[in-house]
Structure formats: C-alpha cells, structure tokens
Amino acid sequence: MLTSRIVFGTVITVLSISLSPFLPPAAAYELGPEQIVQAGGWNLSVPGYSVPSFVNWNDDGLCDLVVGEGGAGYTGKVRVYLNDGTLGLPHFSSSFYAQSLGGDMTVPPVGCLGAYPRLIQRGAADRKGLLVGQADGKVKLFVNTGSNANPAFDGGAFVQVGPPGSKIDINVGGRATPNWLDWNNDATQDLVVGALDGKLRVLLNQGTDIQPDFRTTIIVQANGVDLLVPSLRASPVVTDWDGDGKKDLLLGNTNGQLLFYNNTGTDAAPNFSNYTAMTADGVPIDLPDTLRSRPAICDWTGDGLPDVLIGYGDGLVHLYQSVPEPSALALVLLGLAVGRGRSRN
C-alpha cells in the first residue's frame, strides 16, 4: 500500500508492508552503513556529548547542523555549522555558538549532558526559538530577539507546568530531552520529554503555540504500562517511521542503541508496542560502550527519504542514510537480467 507522510516539510511516499505478528510493520527502506559527519575536511567533534539536528538555521533554503555539546566537565552550549554546500550535498567548514544576551548561550552541565537543543517555530508568523533540555531535568525556552535569518536569543525562561496561578518549572528528574510537536492532533504544539529514568512525559498544551499552557503531565504507555526504555536515559524522536499515518517513536538510550516503538493506538491518541532494534547495513545500531545515543530525523540529501543522525558521548555526529527502494523499472530490468542468466544455464 502506498502512503505519503511529511518529514520536515518534505512529502515522502513509502510502501507499507506487514511482517510476522511478532514484529511491527516495517518501512520499505533500510538504513545504510554508518558515516561520520565532517566539517572542514575532518570528523566533526564537539566537547563532551553531542546532540545533533539538521534544520534551517538562517533561512537560506539549506538545512544546517545544530549540535548541543557539553557534559563530562564541559559547559553546555549550542554549536551551529552553516551548510555551505548544496541541497543534495551538505558541506560544513566552520562553526559558531548560538548567542544569548550578546554572549555564548550556556546551560549548566551535569554528567552526560550539556545542552539538548531543538529549534522550534511557535506559529507561522513567529520567529523561531530554541528549546533546550538541561541535565538537571528542566527545559528552557530561548526567545529569538534577532531575525530568522540571523537568530539571537534572550536569556531564556524555564518552561512551566501546572494550573493557572500555581505553575512550577518542568522537571523530569534529570537529562531532559524535549521535542516540540502536536501530540494529540488538536492543532497546538505539545511537549514530549524523555528523561534519565527511561520514561517519556507528554505535556499537552491547553493554550496556544505562542503562549503555551501546560497543566498536567502524562506518562507514555507501552502494552498498558509506563514505557521504560532499556538501559534508561530516553532520548525520543516522534515520527511516522513505518508510513501508516500514525506517530511512532525512535528512542536512544544509555547503551547507544536506536529502538523503534510501533504506534498501536491512533495518531491522535498514540500507544505503543514492544520495541524493535533499528539496524544499519543489516546490523543493529549499538554504538560502543554506553555513551548515550541521542537521535534526530532529517532528510540529509534531499531525496525525500528520512535519514538518522545520532549524537553520542564521543562528541561525533553519526549519520545513517536511508537506502532508496529500487524503482519499478529497475526491478523489471533486474528480473529480465535474472531470466536471461537462467536461460543460459
């Protein structure tokens, strides 16, 4: 069955197929072998633990690389690598730090996390802002006081939850890994936050995108109980990975894996099954040691297929590109070639 979905504004058409009842539906593409992203001709490396995303930082039509860094004794900062390549072939030469109040934006690091940044758009007419998860479990929103072409930010304010007049700072207990998206399809952006304890929390927005109002916290469920990521330190991506029109989860963890949780509920009310280990080049993604995989989804080459970036405790940015499905013509030609080969035997 052909279906379409949107990843960062790109419509992606995929073929949904069913496997055995013991596995969730699989996408029609596979991830290729690991690559390490480079800048200036060398492997890109940041101090401490890397947290990447591939987004359009300066409104020039090309996605750029935004990487959180810090932890392990390094200050939490947000490093930006502008793309001086092309739409289909990203290239990075140098970097600079996101600015707050005229200096480098910083957040306090603890252990394995410095800054966990996500560039967000709060309404079509608003300038993009920067949502940053902190090691202490809090989430800070930095408002863009510059422009979309040249972002600069205020001093930030902690995102809060609770009834009107009694709000407190969101605190997931440690290692906050936030995502900004519409969880329940009510046309307002909600907050999904992973944490050190391996759980995912959803804060439904009862206000607007510009003035969010988070009142309660929901724990995401899998098989009727709280979803608990193996080895803890949940780092989520919410995306329709299998092309069935429903939000799924890709989750990083302490052990450096990438796990797929199929949505067994609906798109507006997600629920999840057991996980399946994601593979690259046919081998489960399981980075060496236990240095905290922190994934992001992007379209690295502009081919309409979702690719995966993973940040890790080695400070590198690991890239896994989707392998395109053979075209119908290629399959026909392959069949003819096989047929000719058999006829000669």
Side-chain angles (χ1 to χ4, degrees):
M1 176 180 67
L2 287 174
T3 58
S4 295
R5 55 198 173 100
I6 298 176
V7 176
F8 290 109
T10 301
V11 177
I12 299 173
T13 301
V14 299
L15 178 67
S16 293
I17 59 176
S18 295
L19 297 179
S20 76
F22 303 104
L23 292 176
Y29 45 77
E30 299 178 350
L31 295 176
E34 177 189 80
Q35 303 170 58
I36 302 299
V37 177
Q38 294 196 332
W42 301 89
N43 288 347
L44 181 159
S45 181
V46 300
Y49 292 76
S50 60
V51 183
S53 60
F54 192 53
V55 292
N56 191 348
W57 178 267
N58 59 350
D59 273 15
D60 66 350
L62 297 175
C63 283
D64 309 297
L65 196 60
V66 178
V67 186
E69 64 176 51
Y74 297 100
T75 300
K77 294 186 178 184
V78 179
R79 191 184 292 255
V80 180
Y81 295 83
L82 293 182
N83 183 357
D84 56 15
T86 64
L87 182 62
L89 190 64
H91 183 271
F92 311 99
S93 299
S94 59
S95 68
F96 58 88
Y97 286 117
Q99 297 294 289
S100 169
L101 301 178
D104 293 348
M105 176 188 294
T106 63
V107 296
V110 177
C112 63
L113 184 63
Y116 192 104
R118 289 294 180 255
L119 197 67
I120 66 171
Q121 189 81 39
R122 298 188 303 155
D126 191 51
R127 288 170 291 188
K128 49 187 167 249
L130 200 57
L131 195 67
V132 180
Q134 297 191 170
D136 60 6
K138 296 185 178 183
V139 178
K140 210 167 195 179
L141 175 62
F142 292 85
V143 174
N144 186 359
T145 57
S147 66
N148 277 339
N150 188 24
F153 300 93
D154 67 3
F158 290 116
V159 182
Q160 296 194 316
V161 62
S166 301
K167 292 190 179 296
I168 59 173
D169 296 343
I170 293 170
N171 193 331
V172 298
R175 312 305 186 267
T177 56
N179 286 246
W180 178 258
L181 68 143
D182 185 358
W183 179 260
N184 59 351
N185 294 1
D186 66 352
T188 56
Q189 302 295 294
D190 308 303
L191 195 59
V192 179
V193 189
L196 174 65
D197 63 7
K199 297 182 180 182
L200 296 183
R201 292 159 175 83
V202 177
L203 296 96
L204 296 178
N205 184 1
Q206 299 184 44
T208 66
D209 290 347
I210 302 296
Q211 294 183 316
D213 181 7
F214 303 113
R215 299 189 183 185
T216 57
T217 302
I218 301 168
I219 304 294
V220 175
Q221 300 283 293
N223 294 322
V225 297
D226 292 352
L227 188 156
L228 189 65
V229 178
S231 77
L232 309 183
R233 289 181 175 83
S235 184
V237 172
V238 183
T239 183
D240 178 13
W241 184 253
D242 57 17
D244 65 355
K246 299 186 296 184
K247 302 175 186 75
D248 303 309
L249 291 171
L250 296 183
L251 286 163
N253 63 2
T254 299
N255 283 348
Q257 299 168 303
L258 185 62
L259 308 176
F260 168 62
Y261 287 79
N262 180 48
N263 184 356
T264 57
T266 67
D267 192 48
N271 199 358
F272 299 94
S273 65
N274 296 326
Y275 67 85
T276 299
M278 294 288 293
T279 62
D281 205 26
V283 178
I285 295 173
D286 190 354
L287 298 175
D289 301 318
T290 55
L291 299 178
R292 295 54 162 163
S293 47
R294 284 156 180 157
I297 298 294
C298 65
D299 184 0
W300 187 259
T301 57
D303 61 1
L305 295 174
D307 306 306
V308 176
L309 296 172
I310 296 181
Y312 203 53
D314 55 10
L316 304 175
V317 175
H318 302 254
L319 168 65
Y320 304 86
Q321 292 183 234
S322 283
V323 178
E325 275 291 287
S327 67
L329 176 60
L331 291 173
V332 170
L333 293 175
L334 177 61
L336 291 174
V338 171
R340 286 195 297 269
R342 287 175 178 168
S343 67
R344 289 195 292 267
N345 294 330

